[in-house]
Amino acid sequence: DASTASPSAQSPGSFGAHTAGIVVAVFAVVAIAVGVSYYCVRRHSKVAVGPATVEDVKRREESEEAQKKNLVEEVRNGREEEQTAQKRIEEEEMKRKKKNEQETQKRKREVNIARKRENKGEEITKQEDKHKEKQKRQDNVCRVRLNVDRHFIDHASNLGSGSFADVKCGEYRFPGQSNPQRVAYKIYRGGQSLPTIMRDQIEQELALGIQLNHPN
């Protein structure tokens, strides 16, 4: 009977068509499974990976911005430190200049004081020398001052005359001698009103005369 025939008895064409349908069905199922898997993976990746990447970008941008701010702050701090250091250097330089000026002024004052003292000392020394010289001359005058009881002047005689004095004859009894000796007297005109220059000249002549070794 044709209806009860075994599968082995079917025609080759129907068997090939059936196999091809099965293969197509398998490929369709596989394609659907792959599509569903890709869709799921894609969906999960969008949900899980997408926001994390945005956060990373934000964090990176914030980190870069913070680094920029830190760099700007470091540069600003560096400039401020440099300005502070420069200001300190200028202040130290001003202090050093001021100190040098003060020391220079101090040395000048010391030099001026020393010069004044030196000049004053020289002036005092000169004054002392003048005083000593004057005292010496006065002593010489006292030494040759004539004793009233020992001298005699003949005012009628005139051995000579000059611009300031007259020379007269006379006698004088020197100490240690009993008889007076004839001498010449130089009498300056003016008496006690002689000018200082004239008195100094007289004292100088007296000082020179005292140094002479003369028997009389």
Side-chain angles (χ1 to χ4, degrees), residues 85-95:
Q86 185 66 25
K87 187 176 181 180
R88 289 179 180 175
I89 293 173
E90 292 176 356
E91 290 177 354
E92 292 294 332
E93 185 68 16
M94 291 178 64
K95 289 181 180 179

Side-chain angles (χ1 to χ4, degrees), residues 178-195:
S178 58
N179 297 323
Q181 302 292 329
R182 289 183 61 82
V183 294
Y185 290 94
K186 186 175 183 180
I187 303 174
Y188 288 89
R189 305 185 190 96
Q192 297 298 327
S193 61
L194 289 174

